[in-house]
Amino acid sequence: MNKLVFSWPNGKSGALTTSWDDGNIHDRRLVSIFNKYGIKGTWNLNSGFLDSKVKEGTRKKYLSSKEIKSLFKGHEVAVHTVTHPSLWRSSDSMILSEVVEDRKNLERLTGYPVRGMALPNGGPNDERVKNVLRAAGILHCRPTARGENFELPLDFMYWPVTCHQADDFFSLWEKFMNKSNPDKLFYLWGHSYEFPRDNNWERMEEFGKLTGKKGNIWYATNMEIYNYVTAWRSLSSSVEMTQVENRSGVTVWFKAAGELKKVGPGKILRL
Ligand SMILES: [Zn+2]
């Protein structure tokens, strides 16, 4: 029997993804840093706060709806609900309205299906909340919990991060680079407004220099990771693993007997 071992696209040894909440104007600077270093982000927006006029000097100033599509080109826009309620304190109907309405608003702005999410105010994501989110069409959902590890989530509806922007991500990155599991993922989250608040934008520049543009790292949005990993997990094989069918819409890579193989969308590979 053949043994198939996970591989990131093109045989890369690890993946980096990031996630940022609330749709603050400081996202503009963060996006430009990421674009400089080739890092991708998922931007979780409250559509009810876009275009809101907030007086100068307060930390929360929101993006305008007109800029969403061009600002986040090459990145992913995702749901953070319309008005940022704590979901564990909300009724099923309220969660459904908040999520579906946010999806609808953001889909109008971006022009693509918006099916990722970050939980407003973090909090527990129990089966009740998860079921409503699934019914609302959500595919991946991030709490604020962090594991300081580099594992893929077992359940994408509760996808803990590696660390927050205020954590020591430099030493975590060093640990990450020394890890040998083939499916290792580094996942950073935060709020762009924390950089001006804490006067430490240079941390993100340093992070970009340290982690960006590495030939052996795959830089992906949350949804790209979700699509790839679910496609990998769904590879359909014969019992002897001599035929591998990829029923997904993305090319999937794996190693068999130490050799890197790929199987295109809708294709069958014979080993
Ligand atoms: Zn938030």
Side-chain angles (χ1 to χ4, degrees):
M1 191 178 85
N2 288 318
K3 190 175 156 193
L4 271 49
V5 178
F6 182 93
S7 171
W8 288 114
N10 295 300
K12 296 197 188 243
S13 62
L16 169 63
T17 195
T18 70
S19 170
W20 306 90
D21 294 359
D22 298 2
N24 201 262
I25 55 165
H26 302 291
D27 285 358
R28 294 169 191 152
R29 183 164 172 184
L30 192 53
V31 169
S32 75
I33 293 172
F34 283 170
N35 289 347
K36 187 160 109 189
Y37 295 105
I39 297 169
K40 302 258 193 117
T42 291
W43 308 82
N44 307 292
L45 309 182
N46 302 111
S47 54
F49 298 160
L50 297 175
D51 305 311
S52 64
K53 304 275 182 285
V54 179
K55 68 173 195 254
E56 284 296 312
T58 60
R59 71 179 192 196
K60 294 219 169 177
K61 290 182 222 153
Y62 297 94
L63 295 167
S64 80
S65 51
K66 285 199 299 283
E67 68 188 305
I68 299 304
K69 189 171 185 172
S70 56
L71 178 64
F72 296 124
K73 192 167 183 277
H75 297 256
E76 176 191 4
V77 167
V79 166
H80 200 42
T81 72
V82 179
T83 66
H84 214 284
S86 299
L87 299 190
W88 71 94
R89 292 199 183 96
S90 306
S91 68
D92 296 357
S93 321
M94 164 115 176
I95 298 170
L96 197 60
S97 293
E98 281 278 351
V99 172
V100 171
E101 201 59 29
D102 202 38
R103 283 191 60 200
K104 200 164 75 179
N105 294 337
L106 297 174
E107 286 174 356
R108 276 198 201 108
L109 298 178
T110 59
Y112 56 79
V114 173
R115 304 191 65 184
M117 179 168 178
L119 291 173
N121 304 325
N125 193 12
D126 63 6
E127 276 310 307
R128 178 184 76 92
V129 174
K130 276 191 208 168
N131 284 337
V132 180
L133 298 182
R134 283 190 195 103
I138 296 301
L139 298 175
H140 64 76
C141 185
R142 195 217 75 219
T144 52
R146 48 195 190 270
E148 299 205 342
N149 65 33
F150 314 110
E151 299 294 329
L152 292 174
L154 299 176
D155 175 7
F156 275 98
M157 293 302 284
Y158 189 85
W159 185 357
V161 297
T162 305
C163 63
H164 177 257
Q165 71 195 99
D167 297 332
D168 183 6
F169 48 58
F170 299 109
S171 65
L172 281 165
W173 182 260
E174 201 180 315
K175 272 190 204 160
F176 171 73
M177 292 305 274
N178 289 327
K179 280 271 172 190
S180 58
N181 52 309
D183 56 355
K184 67 181 180 180
L185 171 70
F186 193 100
Y187 188 172
L188 172 71
W189 89 281
H191 300 98
S192 60
Y193 65 75
E194 292 186 40
F195 294 112
R197 186 194 70 191
D198 302 336
N199 194 25
N200 62 4
W201 273 112
E202 74 286 350
R203 264 172 72 81
M204 216 54 226
E205 284 283 349
E206 285 167 36
F207 182 78
K209 275 184 209 148
L210 180 71
T211 66
K213 295 189 172 169
K214 299 257 178 290
N216 57 347
I217 298 295
W218 186 39
Y219 303 94
T221 65
N222 290 188
M223 187 58 90
E224 286 166 335
I225 300 280
Y226 169 88
N227 280 338
Y228 185 78
V229 173
T230 51
W232 205 96
R233 288 175 177 171
S234 308
L235 282 175
S236 174
S237 308
S238 58
V239 175
E240 292 286 355
M241 310 294 280
T242 51
Q243 292 185 40
V244 183
E245 183 178 8
N246 175 6
R247 300 177 184 206
S248 81
V250 296
T251 298
V252 173
W253 278 259
F254 59 87
K255 280 188 181 158
E259 211 179 306
L260 185 65
K261 308 266 185 194
K262 68 174 177 179
V263 51
K267 298 277 196 265
I268 297 176
L269 186 69
R270 288 182 173 79
L271 298 170

